[in-house]
Amino acid sequence: MQQFLSQLQQLFATPGGGPVNWDLARQLAQAHLTGGGPAGMSQFPVGFAMPGAPVPAPVDDADSDAAKPVGDPAVTAVERAAVIEALRLADLWLDPESSLPSGVRATSAWSRGEWLNQTLPVWRKLCDPVAARMVSAMTELVPEEMRAQMGPMTSMVASLGGALLGGQLGTALGSLAAEVLSAGDIGLPLGPAGTAAMVPANIAEYGKGLEIPDDQVRLYVALREAAHQRLFGHVPWLRGHVFAAVEAYAAGIHVDRDAIEEAMSRIDPSTLGSDPQELVLEGIFTPEDTPQQRAALARLETALALVEGWVCHVVDRAAGDRLPDVVRLSEAFRRRRAAGGPAEQTFAALVGLELRPRRLREATALWNALAEHRGISGRDALWGHPDLLPDEEAFAEPDMFARTQLDLSDLGFNEATGGEEPKE
């Protein structure tokens, strides 16, 4: 009984006072990688049962690919050295292609679990607003006249919502941790500022399907990571701008109370947490089809596309004649980012946030036109203020936008950083 009460308390605890049990989310994500359950609990993924209740039969790994952990291998000394060297070389290659100086203050090679721990603070910032609305919706399922009678039990409903969301996010983040290639891989500054980090295990796994030498794949990932660090390190307003676009979109995500009620009806109190699917609540988050939400989605997609388009543009210029398979690498990564991998699709389904730059090709073409007509310094000067950034109309007419004459001399970017002269 004492063990049961301890496990129950852990499930319902929400450290930090937020709407999500982030400790549970982290433990479930780690369990997705290693196969172990949360600390102090005996079954996967939450693993507690009422005293005297029968223990569910374990899932046969041979019968279910989902039950197989993907693994979390430690980074070897050789892998770490290769990552550090790739990032150093990538920064050198980017110097003549960007008027923004290097943003790399530290380099790191992360295991999948380290990516999870290093990025969790940013995920918390992004997901808590959506989570708060779900927990509120769960509480409101209880009729108002009953809430007064329930007293302290009302807080248990909110705590259960935090636990369910912890399971939701743990599943999604565990899937992402097994696929992301670097700290900036999905276009958001998820890691510590100034730290360029790569995940060697995922890079090796991704490279298997490309039939391209490992050193080229690693260098291309390093170029992308170093380019992200330049952009977010030297455009001080950009981090807040992108996060604000994500939060504005998240604010319009509708919480389907019927879906919550249906999911709650599936939960068996006697074996709560012994079945992984009990904590996966699909179909709860849906975008509201309103003009405000469509505008918020357009701002988010434009912001993500501009960031990712700039990165693709400068990386392809820097790789140029240096990487023999740059064309194949560029196309493979562009398809990967535009479509989103299986893990990103899982994250969108479970959390309601789609972080794909749908207009990536148009954005890349726009940055190409800007470099051609304004030169490197003129192109990068657009990052001087959010009001200068191209909008959706610019995506449709990149050459016309690039030829527009602007006075870019006082935007805080150094015109003498080795950029090309603009085309007459």
Side-chain angles (χ1 to χ4, degrees), residues 248-270:
Y249 175 66
I253 292 177
H254 173 67
V255 179
D256 189 335
R257 295 185 185 180
D258 291 337
I260 293 177
E261 197 164 7
E262 192 276 331
M264 295 285 287
S265 69
R266 296 198 310 263
I267 295 175
D268 181 357
S270 67

Side-chain angles (χ1 to χ4, degrees), residues 48-50 53-54 263-275 278:
F48 76 84
M50 291 289 288
M264 295 285 287
S265 69
R266 296 198 310 263
I267 295 175
D268 181 357
S270 67
T271 58
L272 180 60
S274 60
D275 179 4
E278 276 190 322

Side-chain angles (χ1 to χ4, degrees), residues 314-329:
V314 298
V315 164
D316 288 348
R317 287 172 62 103
D321 300 328
R322 296 182 172 103
L323 294 181
D325 291 299
V326 63
V327 174
R328 291 174 58 200
L329 283 164

Side-chain angles (χ1 to χ4, degrees), residues 90-316:
D91 238 3
L92 289 176
W93 289 3
L94 287 171
D95 278 339
E97 301 300 337
S98 170
S99 64
L100 303 172
S102 171
V104 178
R105 300 198 300 267
T107 56
S108 186
W110 288 344
S111 67
R112 291 161 174 160
E114 286 172 329
W115 176 89
L116 180 67
N117 291 325
Q118 292 286 347
T119 62
L120 207 57
V122 175
W123 288 120
R124 181 169 188 162
K125 175 180 173 61
L126 289 174
C127 297
D128 269 356
V130 181
R133 285 196 300 283
M134 176 186 160
V135 172
S136 174
M138 289 185 66
T139 304
E140 290 172 6
L141 288 175
V142 181
E144 191 169 352
E145 59 273 13
M146 288 185 61
R147 290 179 215 166
Q149 300 174 12
M150 290 178 64
M153 290 291 291
T154 305
S155 63
M156 274 194 75
V157 175
S159 296
L160 176 59
L164 292 172
L165 266 172
Q168 194 95 335
L169 287 161
T171 300
L173 292 176
S175 298
L176 274 178
E179 286 190 12
V180 291
L181 306 180
S182 65
D185 189 30
I186 66 171
L188 299 176
L190 296 176
T195 298
M198 295 162 60
V199 186
N202 291 346
I203 295 171
E205 191 66 29
Y206 178 68
K208 289 178 182 178
L210 298 180
E211 297 182 352
I212 294 174
D214 292 346
D215 58 342
Q216 288 194 53
V217 177
R218 183 169 50 249
L219 258 171
Y220 198 82
V221 175
L223 282 163
R224 288 175 51 81
E225 176 66 7
H228 273 107
Q229 293 296 332
R230 283 178 186 245
L231 196 54
F232 283 99
H234 295 286
V235 181
W237 53 266
L238 183 58
R239 179 183 295 256
H241 178 79
V242 172
F243 284 167
V246 174
E247 289 165 8
Y249 175 66
I253 292 177
H254 173 67
V255 179
D256 189 335
R257 295 185 185 180
D258 291 337
I260 293 177
E261 197 164 7
E262 192 276 331
M264 295 285 287
S265 69
R266 296 198 310 263
I267 295 175
D268 181 357
S270 67
T271 58
L272 180 60
S274 60
D275 179 4
Q277 294 306 309
E278 276 190 322
L279 296 182
V280 178
L281 313 181
E282 296 181 358
I284 283 178
F285 302 109
T286 56
E288 291 183 336
D289 188 19
T290 64
Q292 294 85 353
Q293 182 64 356
R294 288 193 292 272
L297 177 59
R299 285 195 298 272
L300 174 58
E301 290 182 344
T302 299
L304 292 173
L306 287 173
V307 169
E308 192 65 25
W310 186 88
V311 168
C312 290
H313 164 69
V314 298
V315 164
D316 288 348

